[in-house]
Amino acid sequence: MKKTIGKILALMMCLIMAGALSACGGKDKVYKVSTEPTYPPFDTTNKDGDIVGFDMDLMKAIAKDQGFKVEFESLEFDALIPALKSDSTDIVIAGMNVTPERAKKVAFSDPYYKTGIVLLVKKDNTSITGWDNFTSGSGLKVAAQTGTSQADIAEQLKKEGKVSKTVILNQNTTALQQLGNGDVDSVLVDKPVAVDIVASQGDKYKIVGDIKPDSVADVAIAVKSDNKELLKKINKGLKHLKENGTYDKLAKKWKIEQ
């Protein structure tokens, strides 16, 4: 009889604990994470079609630290913030620069990187040596990815008469194809991405000049504006990763300059 009562009590305790975990979300909470995987080393796909990159490893490490899980999905870059606002995704991590305009629409985590924009040109280009002669109004054409800070800068240069044409495309890889075909003279890219392109395709492209001074920006993770609980988890996890050396290990793995 005592054994039977003991088993019943044990079963009741298990049910109570399971209910408590369920009510709190437990460690089984899964968040959908959206990115635009044509931006290595931050976000790309491997030979099997899996979404990989520095951002993915960083997000998975934060999730592990904070006791939740993540599932990644691919979207066009300019669809990322609308996806957050419509609740069709929970988190955006896509090498996204923090800008005042974006901060009005979403909530950003603490920065996890600082970047700036450089000029990427064909390897045999000897006429473009940096921002000064590129923006001299000599009729050059520039490409950038839609929805990005690079696209904003490209359009501003066109408006100011410093370039003759801007080509804004859905993916960075398409902009790169435009450059390779000679349809544009340069592509505006964040420096770590440009470094990755040169490392993998150095026979075709090169970086000229330095980072555009007024393009330096923080890179952060975005969530819906009112999701303060999730934002707190992300910031806490990111802080832990920087303190315990995990962030540095991931940066080294993906050859991200710090």
Side-chain angles (χ1 to χ4, degrees):
M1 182 69 177
K2 288 182 179 179
K3 288 183 179 180
T4 302
I5 293 173
K7 288 180 180 179
I8 292 172
L9 288 173
L11 179 60
M12 288 177 65
M13 286 298 296
C14 287
L15 290 172
I16 290 169
M17 290 178 67
L21 285 172
S22 176
C24 296
K27 291 194 175 185
D28 293 326
K29 177 67 176 178
V30 179
Y31 291 107
K32 184 184 289 187
V33 182
S34 298
T35 191
E36 195 283 307
T38 67
Y39 218 58
F42 291 106
D43 317 282
T44 187
T45 51
N46 62 19
K47 62 182 180 180
D48 297 319
D50 300 318
I51 300 174
V52 297
F54 175 72
D55 283 350
M56 282 63 257
D57 282 359
L58 182 66
M59 194 65 246
K60 285 188 284 188
I62 291 172
K64 182 178 180 181
D65 182 87
Q66 290 299 296
F68 61 84
K69 297 179 181 179
V70 290
E71 293 178 349
F72 297 101
E73 71 166 3
S74 171
L75 294 175
E76 297 291 349
F77 192 86
D78 60 350
L80 293 172
I81 288 179
L84 275 179
K85 294 184 70 177
S86 65
D87 286 322
S88 60
T89 194
D90 301 300
I91 300 169
V92 163
I93 184 167
M96 182 175 282
N97 294 356
V98 178
T99 67
E101 293 76 17
R102 289 173 181 159
K104 293 176 183 177
K105 302 174 183 177
V106 298
F108 281 107
S109 70
D110 295 333
Y112 67 89
Y113 193 74
K114 190 177 288 290
T115 189
I117 297 170
V118 295
L119 290 167
L120 193 70
V121 302
K122 291 181 73 171
K123 186 69 176 285
D124 59 0
N125 189 313
T126 57
S127 60
I128 301 174
T129 57
W131 289 100
D132 287 342
N133 74 329
F134 180 73
T135 58
S136 62
S138 54
L140 298 178
K141 302 174 185 177
V142 62
Q145 185 178 16
T146 186
T148 64
S149 299
Q150 296 91 285
D152 292 341
I153 288 177
E155 295 290 14
Q156 185 62 33
L157 292 175
K158 174 68 167 58
K159 184 178 179 180
E160 294 171 355
K162 294 181 177 179
V163 298
S164 68
K165 183 180 180 181
T166 58
V167 180
I168 310 301
L169 300 155
N170 283 342
Q171 296 183 343
N172 195 57
T173 48
T174 311
L176 203 60
Q177 290 172 359
Q178 290 274 309
L179 179 59
N181 294 338
D183 297 322
V184 297
D185 301 291
S186 179
V187 174
L188 303 190
V189 195
D190 278 330
K191 186 176 179 181
V193 179
V195 169
D196 185 86
I197 291 169
V198 171
S200 60
Q201 303 182 62
D203 58 328
K204 297 180 181 178
Y205 309 107
K206 65 181 179 180
I207 299 168
V208 291
D210 299 318
I211 287 174
K212 195 174 190 296
D214 61 356
S215 73
V216 177
D218 289 327
V219 178
I221 302 163
V223 300
K224 195 175 181 182
S225 296
D226 59 359
N227 201 339
K228 295 178 181 177
E229 181 184 351
L230 178 55
L231 188 65
K232 184 177 180 180
K233 289 180 182 179
I234 291 171
N235 282 335
K236 189 175 180 180
L238 182 59
K239 183 174 183 288
H240 288 170
L241 298 188
K242 289 185 175 181
E243 290 173 346
N244 65 25
T246 301
Y247 179 94
D248 291 336
K249 289 178 182 177
L250 295 179
K252 184 176 181 181
K253 172 186 174 181
W254 291 99
K255 299 177 181 177
I256 298 279
E257 295 180 358
Q258 297 181 69

